[in-house]
């Protein structure tokens, strides 16, 4: 009988109808596949049962998070080789139902079931979101989703993000810059686009650990209200504000954006928050922010975007991201975001893509995590650390390959006079 790795390789290639570009290392110590390539390490038969009982990305995620599946070699190289089989097959890839009509596919599946053993499907890893019944993006559902992602532990995030504690795309003047400088430059870029002036009021929606609020108050003299749904973020941000001596200028609230009622504000920043809003709530989100701005006030919306589909009704939320990273998060094409902002009454004055900047940022976060791997596992859990490593590395490749992007949209609540207060040339090109 062939060794486990050779059997696995042959069966997987039958299922995928394509050659496997990486090596397989099985639980019996056998290996098969291209020499010198990274190895997909199948540590036990339980990994196969996870994949067979939940085919596709979620089964792979469960095997990875539980530690039943791993990579030996460079993670980026391995993900790059596998991406064409897993993430980049396109809208024309055949569905599981279509594949099951293929006799060769069914035969390969039976072979994998025989190799996996007759035991029942393993329970999902404890890091997986436990779904509650009810509608998406209610206040309660959003609090639960935000807590799952952000209440992992401030010490863990400090390890990954570094001293800036900014959890969004940095702005790199040079790839050789430091992460801390690039994040400071991003906060300053947002401040300049909002044209912040001393004494003005800024609302920072999704304020995170308070980085934008502190920067705007300290460097530009504005009064800031920062809102978050995360108790841990709020506690950290309040201490940071106090340590900076800015309690007279910065207020941090645990509050839903739908409950803010103390406008008008001169400016609003929303940095990496709108991805949590949801398609059905997005117009309301835009309308709420529009109503909170004074005439002539500016919004800077910093948001990840996906590529548009030929049939937008076919969009599905990424299973791994939804189950382990951002529950209920939804990405929209940049055109959809701009349209919704305009429908809410905004005049969109500038759109800047920072796609490559996010790839650089994510690679630095992964490097921080890998450099302190043992401590990271101790601060959260081994499974959670594996989630973040896979999510950030895969996301870096997705930005590099233009599968997703990130954009800063500057929008104005332009008054009836038509004077938006924006320079004739807001920025220049080299």
């Amino acid at each position: 009988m062939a060794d486990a790795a050779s059997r696995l390789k042959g069966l997987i290639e039958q299922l995928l109808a394509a050659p496997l570009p990486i090596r397989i290392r099985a639980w019996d110590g056998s290996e098969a596949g291209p020499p010198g390539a990274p190895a997909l390490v199948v540590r036990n038969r339980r990994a196969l049962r996870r994949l067979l009982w939940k085919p596709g990305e979620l089964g792979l995620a469960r095997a990875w998070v539980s530690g039943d599946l791993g990579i030996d070699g460079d993670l980026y190289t391995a993900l790059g080789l596998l991406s064409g089989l897993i993430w980049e097959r396109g809208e024309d890839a055949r569905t599981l139902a279509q594949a099951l009509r293929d006799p060769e596919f069914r035969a390969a599946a039976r072979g994998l079931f025989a190799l996996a053993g007759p035991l029942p499907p393993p329970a999902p890893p404890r890091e997986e979101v436990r779904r509650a019944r009810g509608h998406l993006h209610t206040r309660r559902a959003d609090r639960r989703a935000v807590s799952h992602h952000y209440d992992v532990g401030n010490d863990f995030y400090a390890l990954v993000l570094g001293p800036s504690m900014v959890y969004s795309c940095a702005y790199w003047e040079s790839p050789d810059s430091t992460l801390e400088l690039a994040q400071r430059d991003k906060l300053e870029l947002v401040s300049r686009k909002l044209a912040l002036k001393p004494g003005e009021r800024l609302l920072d929606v999704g304020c995170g650990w308070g980085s934008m609020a502190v920067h705007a108050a300290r460097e530009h003299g504005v009064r800031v209200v920062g809102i978050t749904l995360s108790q841990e973020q709020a506690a950290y941000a309040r201490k940071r504000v106090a340590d900076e001596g800015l309690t007279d200028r910065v207020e941090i609230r645990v509050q839903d954006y739908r409950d803010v009622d103390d406008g008008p504000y001169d400016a609003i920043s929303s940095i990496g928050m709108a991805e949590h809003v949801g398609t059905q709530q997005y117009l309301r989100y835009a309308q709420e922010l529009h109503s909170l701005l004074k005439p002539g006030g500016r919004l800077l919306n910093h948001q990840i975007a996906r590529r548009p589909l030929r049939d937008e009704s076919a969009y599905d939320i990424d299973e791994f991201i939804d189950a382990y990273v951002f529950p209920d998060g939804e990405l929209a094409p940049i055109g959809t975001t701009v349209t919704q902002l305009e429908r809410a009454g905004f005049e969109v004055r500038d759109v800047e893509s920072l796609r490559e900047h996010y790839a650089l940022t994510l690679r630095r976060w992964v490097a921080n995590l890998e450099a302190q791997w043992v401590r990271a596992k101790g601060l959260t859990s081994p499974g959670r650390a594996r989630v973040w490593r896979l999510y950030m590395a895969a996301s870096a490749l997705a930005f590099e390959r233009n599968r997703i992007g990130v954009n800063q949209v500057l929008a104005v609540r332009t008054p009836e006079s038509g004077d938006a207060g924006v320079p004739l040339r807001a920025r220049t090109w080299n």
Side-chain angles (χ1 to χ4, degrees):
M1 182 181 289
D3 57 51
S6 295
R7 291 179 65 193
L8 265 177
K9 178 177 179 294
L11 291 169
I12 291 172
E13 289 180 341
Q14 272 186 274
L15 288 171
L16 296 174
L20 197 62
I22 67 173
R23 295 179 65 76
I24 292 283
R25 182 181 302 152
W27 57 89
D28 63 353
S30 60
E31 290 196 24
L40 182 66
V41 183
V42 186
R43 296 194 171 99
N44 48 56
R45 296 174 189 266
R46 187 170 57 246
L48 301 185
R49 293 197 291 277
R50 292 189 185 280
L51 294 171
L52 288 166
W53 287 99
K54 199 67 178 178
E57 191 171 326
L58 187 56
L60 282 168
R62 287 175 172 176
W64 173 272
V65 174
S66 64
D68 296 332
L69 200 65
I71 295 291
D72 185 8
D74 183 71
L75 180 59
Y76 292 106
T77 302
L79 292 175
L81 291 169
L82 289 171
S83 62
L85 299 176
I86 301 172
W87 296 291
E88 297 175 1
R89 304 195 79 174
E91 297 175 62
D92 298 323
R94 66 179 179 173
T95 64
L96 180 61
Q98 292 168 332
L100 287 171
R101 290 195 287 269
D102 182 343
E104 291 189 11
F105 183 94
R106 293 200 303 272
R110 286 194 295 270
L112 276 179
F113 270 108
L115 191 58
L119 296 175
R126 65 185 180 88
E127 291 82 6
E128 186 169 313
V129 172
R130 303 300 189 261
R131 291 292 179 191
R133 294 181 180 179
H135 297 290
L136 297 181
H137 301 297
T138 61
R139 287 167 172 78
R140 182 179 180 183
D142 283 353
R143 281 196 304 272
R144 186 183 300 114
V146 166
S147 178
H148 173 85
H149 186 80
Y150 293 105
D151 292 341
V152 175
N154 292 332
D155 289 341
F156 175 77
Y157 274 109
L159 181 151
V160 174
L161 304 179
S164 69
M165 287 299 282
V166 180
Y167 192 26
S168 54
C169 171
Y171 186 69
W172 300 82
E173 295 288 351
S174 163
D176 299 324
S177 181
T178 67
L179 176 61
E180 287 67 41
L181 181 58
Q183 290 291 17
R184 190 208 70 82
D185 287 346
K186 189 274 296 299
L187 298 177
E188 183 59 21
L189 177 66
V190 171
S191 300
R192 292 201 314 270
K193 288 182 176 181
L194 290 173
L196 298 179
K197 299 178 182 62
E200 291 185 334
R201 296 186 77 211
L202 169 68
L203 175 65
D204 188 27
V205 181
C207 66
W209 292 272
S211 300
M212 179 64 197
V214 167
H215 179 89
R218 184 183 60 212
E219 304 298 329
H220 297 273
V222 297
R223 292 174 291 128
V224 187
V225 171
I227 61 171
T228 176
L229 295 179
S230 166
Q231 296 284 350
E232 289 196 26
Q233 283 187 335
Y236 185 101
R238 286 167 182 154
K239 183 178 185 304
R240 191 174 183 184
V241 168
D243 290 346
E244 291 275 354
L246 295 171
T247 52
D248 60 330
R249 278 185 273 169
V250 179
E251 178 188 0
I252 303 295
R253 304 174 185 166
V254 177
Q255 188 175 36
D256 192 287
Y257 72 91
R258 289 163 286 201
D259 296 328
V260 179
D261 60 1
D262 60 343
Y265 287 87
D266 298 281
I268 298 176
S269 53
S270 179
I271 307 172
M273 178 272 179
E275 298 89 340
H276 296 290
V277 169
T279 302
Q280 298 303 317
Q281 289 287 327
Y282 202 91
L283 180 58
R284 179 178 179 182
Y285 157 81
Q287 290 170 334
E288 293 279 357
L289 300 192
H290 184 270
S291 70
L292 287 167
L293 279 171
K294 72 174 188 179
R298 299 184 184 189
L299 164 70
L300 193 286
N301 190 74
H302 177 119
Q303 182 177 346
I304 298 171
R306 61 174 171 84
R307 303 293 297 168
L309 302 175
R310 288 196 301 268
D311 177 10
E312 279 295 314
S313 67
Y315 170 63
D316 285 322
I317 299 172
D318 182 283
E319 285 188 303
F320 168 59
I321 299 293
D322 191 46
Y324 289 98
V325 187
F326 289 108
D328 305 336
E330 297 180 59
L331 300 183
I334 180 60
T336 301
T337 296
V338 168
T339 296
Q340 294 290 63
L341 290 171
E342 290 185 329
R343 286 182 63 197
F346 282 106
E347 180 188 8
V348 172
R349 295 301 304 240
D350 187 75
V351 178
E352 183 175 7
S353 171
L354 301 180
R355 178 174 62 83
E356 295 87 350
H357 294 254
Y358 218 156
L360 290 168
T361 305
L362 284 156
R363 283 183 175 264
R364 297 297 179 92
W365 289 344
V366 172
N368 286 346
L369 178 61
E370 291 178 340
Q372 300 190 67
W373 183 247
V374 173
R375 182 164 178 260
K377 291 190 294 183
L379 287 172
T380 175
S381 71
R384 182 77 67 188
R386 283 192 286 267
V387 166
W388 255 247
R389 183 171 179 242
L390 177 61
Y391 140 66
M392 292 190 298
S395 295
L397 290 175
F399 281 107
E400 288 168 356
R401 297 183 176 197
N402 193 28
R403 288 183 57 240
I404 53 178
V406 62
N407 304 279
Q408 287 191 350
V409 179
L410 177 64
V412 181
R413 181 176 175 172
T414 302
E416 291 184 7
S417 67
D419 182 6
V422 177
L424 289 176
R425 297 194 66 189
R427 54 189 170 100
T428 58
W429 296 91
N430 293 330

